[in-house]
Amino acid sequence: MTALRLLLLLTLCAQLSGCLLNRVYAFKNQFCDYRANFTLLVDGGVTLRMHSPVLLDTDVVWLIGAEPTAWSKNGSWLEMLYVVEKDLPGPTPGYAIPLRLLFSSGDRLLSAGMIDKNLSAMITPGLIEETVAHACSSETSMLRKNVAFDLSDLDRADIPDREQILEALGPPQQTLKNGRVMIYRFRLQGAGPEVEKSHARIWLGPGGDEVERVRFRYLRYELDADFIAGRGSIKVHL
């Protein structure tokens, strides 16, 4: 985030009630009692439901840094859809990754987020559980945007293998080190050139099947999970 953008945000916070920063901190603090504030559902994909929504639709667009691919309305709900597709000359709809965000149409607060099965093949429920378990105790700062967490207790079954990744994402655009490093590149469907592209790098073990490490960057957010060292981190590139 540029210094000018930070200055503008802090100026607005000083003048307006219900500042974005206050809502972001409130959302982060809800993870201190994760099970009271959220429900995680796994059914083809991964859905996270918020029991006490605090983030506005405008907050989400600002934090992501890009307008959604599409908006739709269904009864009392608004759906914000972001579609991530492989960065190739032609379309690859079978490997597109939709991220759906639901907002109540009245107050326009984020009530649920749904990750398609393709992305959940890499970011599994067990990995999510391990990450959110450390969200409360982590330090949150606009200047320090790196959260570290422990993965030493992660069940090996929660780590996708090479076959699962290929089934979900198809062949990688690039491989290194005799195929032991797979690299995927993605773009946000319908976004202009100013929106940063996404990428994933997967390190495989000596046998070529077990995943040792995953680094996934989705727009501004980067997850780095080192399963051999038993640690991970989330970085926010504002």
Side-chain angles (χ1 to χ4, degrees):
M1 177 170 59
T2 65
L4 176 60
R5 192 170 185 181
L6 177 58
L7 178 61
L8 289 173
L9 178 60
L10 294 176
T11 301
L12 287 172
C13 286
Q15 297 178 5
L16 302 175
S17 61
C19 170
L20 180 151
L21 283 180
N22 291 337
R23 292 192 292 273
V24 170
Y25 281 119
F27 182 68
K28 181 259 186 184
N29 289 335
Q30 287 183 341
F31 287 95
C32 295
D33 194 351
Y34 168 66
R35 300 198 181 279
N37 290 299
F38 303 95
T39 297
L40 186 69
L41 302 174
V42 182
D43 184 12
V46 176
T47 299
L48 184 66
R49 290 180 178 172
M50 294 73 170
H51 301 169
S52 302
V54 294
L55 293 178
L56 293 166
D57 56 343
T58 52
D59 298 339
V60 173
V61 172
W62 194 92
L63 288 167
I64 290 180
E67 291 291 332
T69 306
W71 277 99
S72 62
K73 185 174 182 179
N74 183 9
S76 60
W77 297 101
L78 295 173
E79 181 180 294
M80 181 187 291
L81 173 67
Y82 287 93
V83 179
V84 178
E85 58 187 6
K86 294 178 76 170
D87 189 22
L88 294 170
T92 55
Y95 298 116
I97 304 171
L99 171 64
R100 294 180 172 85
L101 304 172
L102 289 183
F103 303 81
S104 58
S105 59
D107 52 25
R108 302 178 79 93
L109 290 172
L110 177 63
S111 299
M114 290 159 282
I115 302 173
D116 182 77
K117 63 179 181 179
N118 287 4
L119 186 57
S120 64
M122 292 180 59
I123 305 177
T124 63
L127 185 55
I128 293 173
E129 292 276 7
E130 285 293 318
T131 303
V132 299
H134 295 83
C136 175
S137 58
S138 65
E139 180 180 351
T140 303
S141 167
M142 291 301 290
L143 298 178
R144 185 176 181 181
K145 302 176 287 292
N146 185 6
V147 176
F149 50 93
D150 183 14
L151 292 174
S152 58
D153 294 331
L154 184 64
D155 192 328
R156 187 71 210 180
D158 289 319
I159 303 172
D161 59 25
R162 179 179 179 273
E163 183 178 351
Q164 290 173 304
I165 291 173
L166 290 176
E167 182 179 355
L169 303 180
Q173 282 101 319
Q174 184 180 1
T175 58
L176 302 172
K177 297 185 178 180
N178 296 322
R180 286 185 56 189
V181 177
M182 300 192 297
I183 298 173
Y184 290 89
R185 290 181 292 273
F186 304 94
R187 61 181 175 237
L188 184 62
Q189 191 178 90
E194 74 282 359
V195 177
E196 184 179 354
K197 294 184 178 181
S198 307
H199 64 267
R201 183 179 291 247
I202 300 123
W203 288 262
L204 302 172
D209 292 321
E210 287 195 346
V211 174
E212 294 186 339
R213 183 180 180 185
V214 171
R215 182 186 295 154
F216 184 85
R217 180 156 177 170
Y218 175 80
L219 298 176
R220 294 179 171 189
Y221 306 93
E222 182 177 296
L223 168 68
D224 189 352
D226 188 332
F227 304 118
I228 300 300
R231 60 175 180 266
S233 67
I234 293 178
K235 298 178 182 177
V236 182
H237 300 270
L238 291 173

PDB file of all heavy atoms in Angstrom, residues 37 39 53 76 133 151 179 182 184 196 205 219 233:
ATOM      1  N   ASN A  37     -17.920 -17.802  16.612  1.00  0.00           N
ATOM      2  CA  ASN A  37     -18.141 -16.772  15.602  1.00  0.00           C
ATOM      3  C   ASN A  37     -18.207 -17.283  14.173  1.00  0.00           C
ATOM      4  O   ASN A  37     -18.672 -16.560  13.279  1.00  0.00           O
ATOM      5  CB  ASN A  37     -17.027 -15.717  15.692  1.00  0.00           C
ATOM      6  CG  ASN A  37     -17.139 -14.875  16.939  1.00  0.00           C
ATOM      7  OD1 ASN A  37     -18.138 -14.190  17.149  1.00  0.00           O
ATOM      8  ND2 ASN A  37     -16.120 -14.915  17.787  1.00  0.00           N
ATOM      9  N   THR A  39     -18.635 -20.895  11.368  1.00  0.00           N
ATOM     10  CA  THR A  39     -18.915 -22.303  11.075  1.00  0.00           C
ATOM     11  C   THR A  39     -18.226 -22.647   9.770  1.00  0.00           C
ATOM     12  O   THR A  39     -18.406 -21.948   8.763  1.00  0.00           O
ATOM     13  CB  THR A  39     -20.419 -22.571  10.945  1.00  0.00           C
ATOM     14  OG1 THR A  39     -21.058 -22.302  12.191  1.00  0.00           O
ATOM     15  CG2 THR A  39     -20.672 -24.023  10.552  1.00  0.00           C
ATOM     16  N   PRO A  53     -21.464 -10.833  11.407  1.00  0.00           N
ATOM     17  CA  PRO A  53     -20.756 -10.148  10.318  1.00  0.00           C
ATOM     18  C   PRO A  53     -20.356  -8.720  10.690  1.00  0.00           C
ATOM     19  O   PRO A  53     -21.112  -8.006  11.359  1.00  0.00           O
ATOM     20  CB  PRO A  53     -21.783 -10.145   9.178  1.00  0.00           C
ATOM     21  CG  PRO A  53     -22.734 -11.253   9.505  1.00  0.00           C
ATOM     22  CD  PRO A  53     -22.806 -11.286  11.001  1.00  0.00           C
ATOM     23  N   SER A  76     -32.890 -12.120  -0.315  1.00  0.00           N
ATOM     24  CA  SER A  76     -32.313 -11.166   0.645  1.00  0.00           C
ATOM     25  C   SER A  76     -30.794 -11.180   0.651  1.00  0.00           C
ATOM     26  O   SER A  76     -30.171 -10.592   1.530  1.00  0.00           O
ATOM     27  CB  SER A  76     -32.832 -11.472   2.052  1.00  0.00           C
ATOM     28  OG  SER A  76     -32.467 -12.783   2.447  1.00  0.00           O
ATOM     29  N   ALA A 133      -6.618 -21.069  14.012  1.00  0.00           N
ATOM     30  CA  ALA A 133      -6.337 -21.319  15.428  1.00  0.00           C
ATOM     31  C   ALA A 133      -5.285 -20.359  15.967  1.00  0.00           C
ATOM     32  O   ALA A 133      -5.222 -20.103  17.176  1.00  0.00           O
ATOM     33  CB  ALA A 133      -5.878 -22.762  15.624  1.00  0.00           C
ATOM     34  N   LEU A 151       2.409 -25.518  11.996  1.00  0.00           N
ATOM     35  CA  LEU A 151       1.768 -26.600  11.251  1.00  0.00           C
ATOM     36  C   LEU A 151       2.269 -27.969  11.686  1.00  0.00           C
ATOM     37  O   LEU A 151       2.007 -28.969  11.016  1.00  0.00           O
ATOM     38  CB  LEU A 151       2.038 -26.426   9.744  1.00  0.00           C
ATOM     39  CG  LEU A 151       1.373 -25.238   9.052  1.00  0.00           C
ATOM     40  CD1 LEU A 151       1.859 -25.142   7.611  1.00  0.00           C
ATOM     41  CD2 LEU A 151      -0.141 -25.359   9.096  1.00  0.00           C
ATOM     42  N   GLY A 179      10.638 -31.830 -12.495  1.00  0.00           N
ATOM     43  CA  GLY A 179       9.227 -32.001 -12.178  1.00  0.00           C
ATOM     44  C   GLY A 179       8.887 -31.918 -10.712  1.00  0.00           C
ATOM     45  O   GLY A 179       7.706 -32.033 -10.350  1.00  0.00           O
ATOM     46  N   MET A 182       6.251 -27.507  -9.223  1.00  0.00           N
ATOM     47  CA  MET A 182       5.198 -27.167 -10.176  1.00  0.00           C
ATOM     48  C   MET A 182       4.795 -25.712  -9.973  1.00  0.00           C
ATOM     49  O   MET A 182       4.606 -25.270  -8.832  1.00  0.00           O
ATOM     50  CB  MET A 182       3.984 -28.082  -9.986  1.00  0.00           C
ATOM     51  CG  MET A 182       4.281 -29.558 -10.188  1.00  0.00           C
ATOM     52  SD  MET A 182       2.765 -30.580 -10.296  1.00  0.00           S
ATOM     53  CE  MET A 182       2.048 -30.314  -8.667  1.00  0.00           C
ATOM     54  N   TYR A 184       2.054 -22.709 -11.160  1.00  0.00           N
ATOM     55  CA  TYR A 184       0.801 -22.329 -11.807  1.00  0.00           C
ATOM     56  C   TYR A 184       0.690 -20.801 -11.790  1.00  0.00           C
ATOM     57  O   TYR A 184       1.079 -20.154 -10.821  1.00  0.00           O
ATOM     58  CB  TYR A 184      -0.403 -22.911 -11.066  1.00  0.00           C
ATOM     59  CG  TYR A 184      -0.561 -24.407 -11.186  1.00  0.00           C
ATOM     60  CD1 TYR A 184       0.063 -25.264 -10.282  1.00  0.00           C
ATOM     61  CD2 TYR A 184      -1.351 -24.971 -12.186  1.00  0.00           C
ATOM     62  CE1 TYR A 184      -0.088 -26.639 -10.378  1.00  0.00           C
ATOM     63  CE2 TYR A 184      -1.514 -26.339 -12.290  1.00  0.00           C
ATOM     64  CZ  TYR A 184      -0.874 -27.175 -11.381  1.00  0.00           C
ATOM     65  OH  TYR A 184      -1.031 -28.540 -11.483  1.00  0.00           O
ATOM     66  N   GLU A 196      -3.113  -7.309 -10.057  1.00  0.00           N
ATOM     67  CA  GLU A 196      -1.995  -8.252 -10.001  1.00  0.00           C
ATOM     68  C   GLU A 196      -2.456  -9.677 -10.259  1.00  0.00           C
ATOM     69  O   GLU A 196      -3.512 -10.102  -9.789  1.00  0.00           O
ATOM     70  CB  GLU A 196      -1.336  -8.164  -8.621  1.00  0.00           C
ATOM     71  CG  GLU A 196      -0.108  -9.031  -8.456  1.00  0.00           C
ATOM     72  CD  GLU A 196       0.502  -8.884  -7.074  1.00  0.00           C
ATOM     73  OE1 GLU A 196       0.033  -8.030  -6.314  1.00  0.00           O
ATOM     74  OE2 GLU A 196       1.431  -9.645  -6.776  1.00  0.00           O
ATOM     75  N   GLY A 205       8.143 -34.011  -2.855  1.00  0.00           N
ATOM     76  CA  GLY A 205       9.203 -34.782  -2.215  1.00  0.00           C
ATOM     77  C   GLY A 205       9.982 -35.607  -3.222  1.00  0.00           C
ATOM     78  O   GLY A 205       9.689 -35.622  -4.422  1.00  0.00           O
ATOM     79  N   LEU A 219      -4.162 -12.705  -5.519  1.00  0.00           N
ATOM     80  CA  LEU A 219      -4.203 -11.253  -5.503  1.00  0.00           C
ATOM     81  C   LEU A 219      -3.211 -10.723  -4.472  1.00  0.00           C
ATOM     82  O   LEU A 219      -2.023 -10.925  -4.610  1.00  0.00           O
ATOM     83  CB  LEU A 219      -5.631 -10.764  -5.268  1.00  0.00           C
ATOM     84  CG  LEU A 219      -6.640 -11.184  -6.353  1.00  0.00           C
ATOM     85  CD1 LEU A 219      -8.050 -10.724  -5.986  1.00  0.00           C
ATOM     86  CD2 LEU A 219      -6.269 -10.666  -7.717  1.00  0.00           C
ATOM     87  N   SER A 233       3.016 -19.216   7.000  1.00  0.00           N
ATOM     88  CA  SER A 233       2.813 -17.788   7.200  1.00  0.00           C
ATOM     89  C   SER A 233       1.796 -17.279   6.192  1.00  0.00           C
ATOM     90  O   SER A 233       1.602 -17.860   5.121  1.00  0.00           O
ATOM     91  CB  SER A 233       4.134 -17.015   7.047  1.00  0.00           C
ATOM     92  OG  SER A 233       4.604 -17.077   5.711  1.00  0.00           O
TER      93      SER A 233
END
